[in-house]
Amino acid sequence: MNLLTVISRKIGTLKKMFRLTGIKGILILRPLPNFLLAILSKMGIHLKDKPIKLQIKGYPHPIYMRYGSSDPAIFYQIFIFREYSCIDDLTEAKIIIDAGANVGYSSIYFLKKYPNAQIIAVEPDHENFNICQKNLSGYKERVSVIQSGIWSHRTALKVCNEDSREKCSIQVKECQEGESPDIYAIDIDTLLKKYNLTTIDLLKIDIEGSESVIFSKNYQNWLEKVKNIVIELHGTECEQEFFKALSVYDYDLSTYGELTICQKLSSQTAKACR
């Protein structure tokens, strides 16, 4: 890729960000030099003190973004790159589970795309969860936000985050003997029972490797109720467990960027019994 192409793409990104959020969005898309932060501070624009409120064109409620964190990168993926446009042919989704909701940007995207949808957003990290609640507060009648980690069974979990700025790569692990839990896990079957659901129209999963656990056991009851999955698979083990679990299903498979998309899931056993 030559320099002219790189410059052109960066200018294109800035234009899209400006159209969506105005000048404030451009200021926080990438970290600024300290001298610019000082100048902005003197002008009364304090980017680092608290989450920054942005109004997105076409969306009814504002969103909040933490300067210098991974939030701008997640915003870029969802609203500028539009990574979930890969399921644009899914015209209706009434029940959506957002597993690994981060700060809620993906849920907001789905809420606009599917105006009749009810969303269950699950996020394990305390700071992400707080911003997620704030971002989704305007949609409270259509959203339930849960601080937990999706797992294969009920258990105590530790939240792992080596880089406090990179809030997009939070991992969880089962507590070892003597460890104090940060959160307690929830499995998808329990979510279905809790909210009295019989189907999941869209299951979005981005849980930084925990997918190898949830598709390793105790998935049979809830997986047969899922119609469409969009998932980010983290490594060979996750891929193997995922596709092994789906081996008794027919589905339309595609990929888009880092995402794997499985649409129109149907049980081979059910078909054989017809």
Side-chain angles (χ1 to χ4, degrees):
M1 188 183 301
N2 61 44
L3 181 59
L4 187 60
T5 301
V6 172
I7 293 173
S8 177
R9 287 189 176 181
K10 287 186 176 181
I11 291 173
T13 296
L14 292 174
K15 286 181 177 178
K16 290 176 182 177
M17 191 69 176
F18 180 76
R19 284 197 295 267
L20 277 174
T21 65
I23 189 65
K24 193 187 290 186
I26 291 178
L27 290 175
I28 60 178
L29 187 59
R30 295 286 185 272
L32 297 173
N34 287 332
F35 78 91
L36 282 180
L37 289 174
I39 292 172
L40 290 171
S41 181
K42 290 179 180 179
M43 296 169 59
I45 303 174
H46 307 285
L47 299 180
K48 299 175 72 173
D49 293 346
K50 59 183 180 180
I52 299 158
K53 182 179 178 180
L54 294 175
Q55 186 66 52
I56 313 175
K57 184 178 180 181
Y59 287 79
H61 304 292
I63 64 122
Y64 293 85
M65 184 183 296
R66 295 164 294 186
Y67 175 81
S69 72
S70 56
D71 293 358
I74 300 297
F75 182 94
Y76 170 85
Q77 282 183 311
I78 292 171
F79 295 108
I80 297 178
F81 177 67
R82 295 186 69 245
E83 67 175 351
Y84 291 109
S85 64
C86 59
I87 54 169
D88 274 356
D89 58 342
L90 180 62
T91 56
E92 182 69 24
K94 293 183 178 179
I95 302 297
I96 299 172
I97 292 180
D98 187 349
N102 196 260
V103 293
Y105 297 158
S106 52
S107 289
I108 291 169
Y109 179 89
F110 294 139
L111 285 162
K112 184 174 188 297
K113 179 168 176 56
Y114 304 109
N116 297 316
Q118 295 287 326
I119 293 183
I120 301 169
V122 184
E123 170 57 35
D125 180 72
H126 178 69
E127 292 181 17
N128 283 349
F129 174 77
N130 287 341
I131 300 295
C132 188
Q133 277 193 314
K134 196 175 182 71
N135 280 331
L136 296 176
S137 61
Y139 307 89
K140 57 185 177 182
E141 293 182 356
R142 298 175 58 200
V143 180
S144 298
V145 187
I146 301 171
Q147 186 182 359
S148 185
I150 297 290
W151 211 249
S152 61
H153 57 282
R154 178 75 172 172
T155 189
L157 298 175
K158 294 293 290 183
V159 178
C160 311
N161 183 27
E162 294 180 0
D163 187 341
S164 60
R165 295 169 301 175
E166 291 300 315
K167 289 295 187 176
C168 62
S169 55
I170 301 295
Q171 294 181 314
V172 294
K173 65 176 184 177
E174 282 198 67
C175 286
Q176 302 300 308
E177 186 175 350
E179 285 187 316
S180 299
D182 294 319
I183 54 173
Y184 287 92
I186 193 166
D187 60 272
I188 294 176
D189 208 30
T190 297
L191 284 177
L192 290 169
K193 293 172 183 175
K194 178 179 174 68
Y195 293 97
N196 196 27
L197 303 176
T198 56
T199 60
I200 301 170
D201 295 301
L202 177 61
L203 175 59
K204 171 257 175 178
I205 303 176
D206 186 0
I207 52 179
E208 301 301 322
S210 295
E211 62 270 24
S212 66
V213 177
I214 70 168
F215 287 102
S216 66
K217 61 181 179 180
N218 300 333
Y219 59 82
Q220 292 83 355
N221 286 339
W222 62 261
L223 187 54
E224 65 182 14
K225 298 176 176 67
V226 179
K227 296 181 179 180
N228 303 279
I229 300 174
V230 57
I231 184 170
E232 185 171 336
L233 295 167
H234 299 83
T236 302
E237 182 183 356
C238 295
E239 291 180 8
Q240 290 175 344
E241 293 291 351
F242 177 68
F243 286 112
K244 181 181 177 182
L246 265 64
S247 62
V248 296
Y249 291 85
D250 291 324
Y251 51 88
D252 295 338
L253 176 65
S254 60
T255 59
Y256 186 70
E258 297 177 325
L259 300 177
T260 297
I261 306 101
C262 300
Q263 293 181 274
K264 301 177 183 176
L265 269 72
S266 60
S267 170
Q268 295 172 1
T269 303
K271 283 186 175 182
C273 293
R274 290 175 186 171

mmCIF file of all heavy atoms in Angstrom, residues 51-86:
data_model
loop_
_atom_site.group_PDB
_atom_site.id
_atom_site.type_symbol
_atom_site.label_atom_id
_atom_site.label_comp_id
_atom_site.label_asym_id
_atom_site.label_seq_id
_atom_site.Cartn_x
_atom_site.Cartn_y
_atom_site.Cartn_z
ATOM 1 N N PRO A 51 -15.842 10.570 30.471
ATOM 2 C CA PRO A 51 -16.311 10.126 29.153
ATOM 3 C C PRO A 51 -16.913 11.273 28.352
ATOM 4 O O PRO A 51 -17.649 12.100 28.888
ATOM 5 C CB PRO A 51 -17.368 9.071 29.497
ATOM 6 C CG PRO A 51 -16.949 8.549 30.830
ATOM 7 C CD PRO A 51 -16.378 9.735 31.557
ATOM 8 N N ILE A 52 -16.574 11.318 27.085
ATOM 9 C CA ILE A 52 -16.999 12.414 26.214
ATOM 10 C C ILE A 52 -18.321 12.067 25.552
ATOM 11 O O ILE A 52 -18.499 10.963 25.028
ATOM 12 C CB ILE A 52 -15.916 12.689 25.153
ATOM 13 C CG1 ILE A 52 -14.619 13.107 25.852
ATOM 14 C CG2 ILE A 52 -16.356 13.756 24.171
ATOM 15 C CD1 ILE A 52 -13.387 12.914 25.026
ATOM 16 N N LYS A 53 -19.232 13.001 25.585
ATOM 17 C CA LYS A 53 -20.568 12.806 25.025
ATOM 18 C C LYS A 53 -20.569 13.181 23.548
ATOM 19 O O LYS A 53 -20.152 14.273 23.172
ATOM 20 C CB LYS A 53 -21.580 13.668 25.793
ATOM 21 C CG LYS A 53 -23.012 13.520 25.349
ATOM 22 C CD LYS A 53 -23.901 14.413 26.229
ATOM 23 C CE LYS A 53 -25.356 14.344 25.817
ATOM 24 N NZ LYS A 53 -26.196 15.214 26.680
ATOM 25 N N LEU A 54 -21.029 12.257 22.708
ATOM 26 C CA LEU A 54 -21.103 12.492 21.272
ATOM 27 C C LEU A 54 -22.509 12.192 20.776
ATOM 28 O O LEU A 54 -23.139 11.227 21.211
ATOM 29 C CB LEU A 54 -20.127 11.583 20.513
ATOM 30 C CG LEU A 54 -18.634 11.776 20.720
ATOM 31 C CD1 LEU A 54 -17.872 10.691 19.977
ATOM 32 C CD2 LEU A 54 -18.194 13.143 20.243
ATOM 33 N N GLN A 55 -22.975 13.019 19.864
ATOM 34 C CA GLN A 55 -24.240 12.737 19.198
ATOM 35 C C GLN A 55 -23.931 12.152 17.825
ATOM 36 O O GLN A 55 -23.198 12.756 17.039
ATOM 37 C CB GLN A 55 -25.072 14.011 19.044
ATOM 38 C CG GLN A 55 -26.472 13.760 18.490
ATOM 39 C CD GLN A 55 -27.341 12.950 19.447
ATOM 40 O OE1 GLN A 55 -27.464 13.312 20.620
ATOM 41 N NE2 GLN A 55 -27.930 11.857 18.962
ATOM 42 N N ILE A 56 -24.453 10.969 17.545
ATOM 43 C CA ILE A 56 -24.209 10.324 16.245
ATOM 44 C C ILE A 56 -25.365 10.657 15.315
ATOM 45 O O ILE A 56 -26.534 10.454 15.665
ATOM 46 C CB ILE A 56 -24.099 8.794 16.373
ATOM 47 C CG1 ILE A 56 -23.173 8.398 17.514
ATOM 48 C CG2 ILE A 56 -23.606 8.184 15.070
ATOM 49 C CD1 ILE A 56 -23.116 6.902 17.754
ATOM 50 N N LYS A 57 -25.041 11.128 14.136
ATOM 51 C CA LYS A 57 -26.068 11.468 13.157
ATOM 52 C C LYS A 57 -26.922 10.242 12.844
ATOM 53 O O LYS A 57 -26.412 9.177 12.527
ATOM 54 C CB LYS A 57 -25.406 11.987 11.879
ATOM 55 C CG LYS A 57 -26.405 12.452 10.827
ATOM 56 C CD LYS A 57 -25.700 12.993 9.600
ATOM 57 C CE LYS A 57 -26.709 13.454 8.557
ATOM 58 N NZ LYS A 57 -26.023 13.967 7.333
ATOM 59 N N GLY A 58 -28.229 10.399 12.945
ATOM 60 C CA GLY A 58 -29.144 9.313 12.629
ATOM 61 C C GLY A 58 -29.533 8.458 13.815
ATOM 62 O O GLY A 58 -30.389 7.586 13.693
ATOM 63 N N TYR A 59 -28.912 8.709 14.987
ATOM 64 C CA TYR A 59 -29.224 7.934 16.189
ATOM 65 C C TYR A 59 -29.918 8.837 17.199
ATOM 66 O O TYR A 59 -29.525 9.993 17.380
ATOM 67 C CB TYR A 59 -27.953 7.341 16.788
ATOM 68 C CG TYR A 59 -27.402 6.189 15.970
ATOM 69 C CD1 TYR A 59 -26.669 6.426 14.803
ATOM 70 C CD2 TYR A 59 -27.635 4.875 16.343
ATOM 71 C CE1 TYR A 59 -26.183 5.367 14.046
ATOM 72 C CE2 TYR A 59 -27.145 3.812 15.597
ATOM 73 C CZ TYR A 59 -26.412 4.069 14.444
ATOM 74 O OH TYR A 59 -25.935 3.021 13.695
ATOM 75 N N PRO A 60 -30.929 8.326 17.900
ATOM 76 C CA PRO A 60 -31.747 9.191 18.757
ATOM 77 C C PRO A 60 -31.099 9.610 20.071
ATOM 78 O O PRO A 60 -31.505 10.608 20.662
ATOM 79 C CB PRO A 60 -32.992 8.332 19.036
ATOM 80 C CG PRO A 60 -32.517 6.914 18.910
ATOM 81 C CD PRO A 60 -31.469 6.954 17.829
ATOM 82 N N HIS A 61 -30.114 8.835 20.523
ATOM 83 C CA HIS A 61 -29.518 9.119 21.825
ATOM 84 C C HIS A 61 -28.003 9.284 21.694
ATOM 85 O O HIS A 61 -27.374 8.648 20.839
ATOM 86 C CB HIS A 61 -29.836 7.990 22.806
ATOM 87 C CG HIS A 61 -31.300 7.723 22.954
ATOM 88 N ND1 HIS A 61 -32.156 8.620 23.551
ATOM 89 C CD2 HIS A 61 -32.061 6.664 22.552
ATOM 90 C CE1 HIS A 61 -33.389 8.129 23.520
ATOM 91 N NE2 HIS A 61 -33.362 6.948 22.926
ATOM 92 N N PRO A 62 -27.393 10.105 22.549
ATOM 93 C CA PRO A 62 -25.934 10.297 22.485
ATOM 94 C C PRO A 62 -25.186 9.053 22.965
ATOM 95 O O PRO A 62 -25.761 8.183 23.635
ATOM 96 C CB PRO A 62 -25.696 11.473 23.437
ATOM 97 C CG PRO A 62 -26.837 11.404 24.401
ATOM 98 C CD PRO A 62 -28.012 10.907 23.615
ATOM 99 N N ILE A 63 -23.914 8.986 22.632
ATOM 100 C CA ILE A 63 -23.054 7.925 23.146
ATOM 101 C C ILE A 63 -21.909 8.573 23.917
ATOM 102 O O ILE A 63 -21.626 9.764 23.770
ATOM 103 C CB ILE A 63 -22.509 7.011 22.031
ATOM 104 C CG1 ILE A 63 -21.595 7.809 21.082
ATOM 105 C CG2 ILE A 63 -23.617 6.353 21.255
ATOM 106 C CD1 ILE A 63 -20.224 7.258 20.982
ATOM 107 N N TYR A 64 -21.251 7.749 24.731
ATOM 108 C CA TYR A 64 -20.132 8.222 25.532
ATOM 109 C C TYR A 64 -18.880 7.426 25.175
ATOM 110 O O TYR A 64 -18.949 6.219 24.919
ATOM 111 C CB TYR A 64 -20.444 8.104 27.018
ATOM 112 C CG TYR A 64 -21.548 9.039 27.440
ATOM 113 C CD1 TYR A 64 -22.884 8.664 27.300
ATOM 114 C CD2 TYR A 64 -21.264 10.302 27.939
ATOM 115 C CE1 TYR A 64 -23.911 9.525 27.661
ATOM 116 C CE2 TYR A 64 -22.288 11.176 28.302
ATOM 117 C CZ TYR A 64 -23.609 10.774 28.159
ATOM 118 O OH TYR A 64 -24.617 11.638 28.507
ATOM 119 N N MET A 65 -17.756 8.118 25.152
ATOM 120 C CA MET A 65 -16.498 7.524 24.715
ATOM 121 C C MET A 65 -15.366 8.025 25.612
ATOM 122 O O MET A 65 -15.294 9.214 25.928
ATOM 123 C CB MET A 65 -16.224 7.905 23.251
ATOM 124 C CG MET A 65 -15.001 7.285 22.633
ATOM 125 S SD MET A 65 -14.750 7.879 20.924
ATOM 126 C CE MET A 65 -16.211 7.258 20.102
ATOM 127 N N ARG A 66 -14.492 7.115 26.017
ATOM 128 C CA ARG A 66 -13.362 7.479 26.874
ATOM 129 C C ARG A 66 -12.156 7.825 26.010
ATOM 130 O O ARG A 66 -11.693 6.995 25.222
ATOM 131 C CB ARG A 66 -13.034 6.326 27.827
ATOM 132 C CG ARG A 66 -14.138 6.027 28.829
ATOM 133 C CD ARG A 66 -13.970 4.681 29.486
ATOM 134 N NE ARG A 66 -14.127 3.590 28.522
ATOM 135 C CZ ARG A 66 -14.141 2.306 28.853
ATOM 136 N NH1 ARG A 66 -14.010 1.937 30.112
ATOM 137 N NH2 ARG A 66 -14.295 1.379 27.920
ATOM 138 N N TYR A 67 -11.655 9.026 26.173
ATOM 139 C CA TYR A 67 -10.488 9.458 25.411
ATOM 140 C C TYR A 67 -9.257 8.631 25.792
ATOM 141 O O TYR A 67 -9.029 8.319 26.958
ATOM 142 C CB TYR A 67 -10.203 10.939 25.675
ATOM 143 C CG TYR A 67 -8.940 11.429 25.003
ATOM 144 C CD1 TYR A 67 -8.947 11.773 23.659
ATOM 145 C CD2 TYR A 67 -7.742 11.516 25.703
ATOM 146 C CE1 TYR A 67 -7.796 12.210 23.036
ATOM 147 C CE2 TYR A 67 -6.585 11.951 25.087
ATOM 148 C CZ TYR A 67 -6.609 12.284 23.754
ATOM 149 O OH TYR A 67 -5.467 12.707 23.132
ATOM 150 N N GLY A 68 -8.451 8.273 24.794
ATOM 151 C CA GLY A 68 -7.210 7.550 25.032
ATOM 152 C C GLY A 68 -7.401 6.072 25.324
ATOM 153 O O GLY A 68 -6.439 5.377 25.656
ATOM 154 N N SER A 69 -8.628 5.575 25.189
ATOM 155 C CA SER A 69 -8.911 4.160 25.427
ATOM 156 C C SER A 69 -9.122 3.463 24.082
ATOM 157 O O SER A 69 -8.886 4.039 23.015
ATOM 158 C CB SER A 69 -10.164 4.012 26.293
ATOM 159 O OG SER A 69 -11.325 4.342 25.526
ATOM 160 N N SER A 70 -9.606 2.231 24.131
ATOM 161 C CA SER A 70 -9.921 1.509 22.906
ATOM 162 C C SER A 70 -11.303 1.872 22.365
ATOM 163 O O SER A 70 -11.698 1.395 21.296
ATOM 164 C CB SER A 70 -9.847 -0.003 23.148
ATOM 165 O OG SER A 70 -10.697 -0.379 24.208
ATOM 166 N N ASP A 71 -12.054 2.715 23.081
ATOM 167 C CA ASP A 71 -13.411 3.071 22.637
ATOM 168 C C ASP A 71 -13.445 3.650 21.217
ATOM 169 O O ASP A 71 -14.309 3.253 20.422
ATOM 170 C CB ASP A 71 -14.048 4.067 23.607
ATOM 171 C CG ASP A 71 -14.322 3.469 24.977
ATOM 172 O OD1 ASP A 71 -14.050 2.265 25.176
ATOM 173 O OD2 ASP A 71 -14.808 4.216 25.859
ATOM 174 N N PRO A 72 -12.542 4.599 20.864
ATOM 175 C CA PRO A 72 -12.594 5.126 19.497
ATOM 176 C C PRO A 72 -12.377 4.052 18.432
ATOM 177 O O PRO A 72 -13.002 4.099 17.368
ATOM 178 C CB PRO A 72 -11.460 6.165 19.473
ATOM 179 C CG PRO A 72 -11.326 6.599 20.891
ATOM 180 C CD PRO A 72 -11.572 5.353 21.692
ATOM 181 N N ALA A 73 -11.518 3.078 18.715
ATOM 182 C CA ALA A 73 -11.273 1.999 17.748
ATOM 183 C C ALA A 73 -12.520 1.134 17.576
ATOM 184 O O ALA A 73 -12.851 0.717 16.450
ATOM 185 C CB ALA A 73 -10.092 1.139 18.199
ATOM 186 N N ILE A 74 -13.219 0.850 18.674
ATOM 187 C CA ILE A 74 -14.461 0.085 18.594
ATOM 188 C C ILE A 74 -15.522 0.883 17.841
ATOM 189 O O ILE A 74 -16.256 0.338 17.003
ATOM 190 C CB ILE A 74 -14.969 -0.269 20.004
ATOM 191 C CG1 ILE A 74 -13.943 -1.117 20.752
ATOM 192 C CG2 ILE A 74 -16.305 -0.999 19.918
ATOM 193 C CD1 ILE A 74 -13.670 -2.461 20.127
ATOM 194 N N PHE A 75 -15.585 2.171 18.112
ATOM 195 C CA PHE A 75 -16.517 3.042 17.388
ATOM 196 C C PHE A 75 -16.239 2.986 15.891
ATOM 197 O O PHE A 75 -17.163 2.871 15.076
ATOM 198 C CB PHE A 75 -16.395 4.479 17.899
ATOM 199 C CG PHE A 75 -17.352 5.430 17.235
ATOM 200 C CD1 PHE A 75 -18.570 5.711 17.816
ATOM 201 C CD2 PHE A 75 -17.023 6.048 16.031
ATOM 202 C CE1 PHE A 75 -19.461 6.588 17.203
ATOM 203 C CE2 PHE A 75 -17.900 6.911 15.420
ATOM 204 C CZ PHE A 75 -19.128 7.187 16.004
ATOM 205 N N TYR A 76 -14.966 3.073 15.535
ATOM 206 C CA TYR A 76 -14.579 3.014 14.125
ATOM 207 C C TYR A 76 -15.060 1.710 13.489
ATOM 208 O O TYR A 76 -15.649 1.716 12.403
ATOM 209 C CB TYR A 76 -13.058 3.148 13.983
ATOM 210 C CG TYR A 76 -12.576 2.860 12.574
ATOM 211 C CD1 TYR A 76 -12.573 3.862 11.610
ATOM 212 C CD2 TYR A 76 -12.159 1.584 12.205
ATOM 213 C CE1 TYR A 76 -12.156 3.603 10.311
ATOM 214 C CE2 TYR A 76 -11.745 1.319 10.907
ATOM 215 C CZ TYR A 76 -11.749 2.324 9.965
ATOM 216 O OH TYR A 76 -11.366 2.042 8.673
ATOM 217 N N GLN A 77 -14.787 0.587 14.157
ATOM 218 C CA GLN A 77 -15.173 -0.720 13.609
ATOM 219 C C GLN A 77 -16.664 -0.808 13.325
ATOM 220 O O GLN A 77 -17.078 -1.313 12.286
ATOM 221 C CB GLN A 77 -14.795 -1.832 14.589
ATOM 222 C CG GLN A 77 -13.331 -2.206 14.586
ATOM 223 C CD GLN A 77 -13.077 -3.375 15.530
ATOM 224 O OE1 GLN A 77 -13.499 -3.377 16.680
ATOM 225 N NE2 GLN A 77 -12.379 -4.376 15.044
ATOM 226 N N ILE A 78 -17.469 -0.296 14.250
ATOM 227 C CA ILE A 78 -18.907 -0.516 14.170
ATOM 228 C C ILE A 78 -19.622 0.535 13.334
ATOM 229 O O ILE A 78 -20.485 0.200 12.512
ATOM 230 C CB ILE A 78 -19.503 -0.595 15.585
ATOM 231 C CG1 ILE A 78 -18.999 -1.873 16.274
ATOM 232 C CG2 ILE A 78 -21.037 -0.563 15.556
ATOM 233 C CD1 ILE A 78 -19.321 -2.000 17.724
ATOM 234 N N PHE A 79 -19.253 1.803 13.489
ATOM 235 C CA PHE A 79 -20.019 2.861 12.836
ATOM 236 C C PHE A 79 -19.382 3.407 11.559
ATOM 237 O O PHE A 79 -20.081 4.000 10.743
ATOM 238 C CB PHE A 79 -20.250 4.009 13.821
ATOM 239 C CG PHE A 79 -21.110 3.627 14.993
ATOM 240 C CD1 PHE A 79 -20.557 3.480 16.250
ATOM 241 C CD2 PHE A 79 -22.460 3.394 14.829
ATOM 242 C CE1 PHE A 79 -21.342 3.120 17.344
ATOM 243 C CE2 PHE A 79 -23.254 3.039 15.906
ATOM 244 C CZ PHE A 79 -22.696 2.897 17.170
ATOM 245 N N ILE A 80 -18.076 3.243 11.401
ATOM 246 C CA ILE A 80 -17.420 3.742 10.182
ATOM 247 C C ILE A 80 -17.086 2.589 9.237
ATOM 248 O O ILE A 80 -17.504 2.577 8.080
ATOM 249 C CB ILE A 80 -16.162 4.558 10.533
ATOM 250 C CG1 ILE A 80 -16.562 5.801 11.340
ATOM 251 C CG2 ILE A 80 -15.409 4.970 9.260
ATOM 252 C CD1 ILE A 80 -15.407 6.663 11.781
ATOM 253 N N PHE A 81 -16.352 1.601 9.722
ATOM 254 C CA PHE A 81 -16.080 0.403 8.924
ATOM 255 C C PHE A 81 -17.343 -0.435 8.748
ATOM 256 O O PHE A 81 -17.503 -1.129 7.758
ATOM 257 C CB PHE A 81 -14.987 -0.430 9.601
ATOM 258 C CG PHE A 81 -14.677 -1.715 8.896
ATOM 259 C CD1 PHE A 81 -14.090 -1.721 7.647
ATOM 260 C CD2 PHE A 81 -14.987 -2.936 9.486
ATOM 261 C CE1 PHE A 81 -13.809 -2.919 6.988
ATOM 262 C CE2 PHE A 81 -14.711 -4.134 8.850
ATOM 263 C CZ PHE A 81 -14.114 -4.123 7.593
ATOM 264 N N ARG A 82 -18.260 -0.334 9.695
ATOM 265 C CA ARG A 82 -19.553 -1.033 9.691
ATOM 266 C C ARG A 82 -19.354 -2.549 9.545
ATOM 267 O O ARG A 82 -19.857 -3.170 8.642
ATOM 268 C CB ARG A 82 -20.458 -0.493 8.592
ATOM 269 C CG ARG A 82 -20.881 0.963 8.781
ATOM 270 C CD ARG A 82 -21.891 1.414 7.733
ATOM 271 N NE ARG A 82 -23.176 0.756 7.916
ATOM 272 C CZ ARG A 82 -23.709 -0.086 7.043
ATOM 273 N NH1 ARG A 82 -23.064 -0.401 5.939
ATOM 274 N NH2 ARG A 82 -24.883 -0.628 7.277
ATOM 275 N N GLU A 83 -18.625 -3.119 10.509
ATOM 276 C CA GLU A 83 -18.314 -4.540 10.404
ATOM 277 C C GLU A 83 -19.555 -5.429 10.479
ATOM 278 O O GLU A 83 -19.563 -6.536 9.952
ATOM 279 C CB GLU A 83 -17.302 -4.958 11.466
ATOM 280 C CG GLU A 83 -17.776 -4.895 12.895
ATOM 281 C CD GLU A 83 -16.729 -5.442 13.867
ATOM 282 O OE1 GLU A 83 -15.737 -6.013 13.398
ATOM 283 O OE2 GLU A 83 -16.902 -5.266 15.077
ATOM 284 N N TYR A 84 -20.628 -4.944 11.108
ATOM 285 C CA TYR A 84 -21.836 -5.773 11.176
ATOM 286 C C TYR A 84 -22.764 -5.576 9.981
ATOM 287 O O TYR A 84 -23.874 -6.127 9.961
ATOM 288 C CB TYR A 84 -22.573 -5.525 12.493
ATOM 289 C CG TYR A 84 -21.787 -6.074 13.668
ATOM 290 C CD1 TYR A 84 -21.172 -5.215 14.577
ATOM 291 C CD2 TYR A 84 -21.612 -7.441 13.832
ATOM 292 C CE1 TYR A 84 -20.414 -5.719 15.624
ATOM 293 C CE2 TYR A 84 -20.856 -7.947 14.880
ATOM 294 C CZ TYR A 84 -20.264 -7.081 15.771
ATOM 295 O OH TYR A 84 -19.514 -7.585 16.801
ATOM 296 N N SER A 85 -22.289 -4.844 8.989
ATOM 297 C CA SER A 85 -23.036 -4.789 7.726
ATOM 298 C C SER A 85 -23.035 -6.144 7.032
ATOM 299 O O SER A 85 -23.807 -6.372 6.105
ATOM 300 C CB SER A 85 -22.437 -3.733 6.790
ATOM 301 O OG SER A 85 -21.107 -4.081 6.412
ATOM 302 N N CYS A 86 -22.186 -7.058 7.525
ATOM 303 C CA CYS A 86 -22.130 -8.411 6.967
ATOM 304 C C CYS A 86 -23.433 -9.185 7.178
ATOM 305 O O CYS A 86 -23.651 -10.218 6.533
ATOM 306 C CB CYS A 86 -20.970 -9.200 7.571
ATOM 307 S SG CYS A 86 -21.050 -9.359 9.378
#
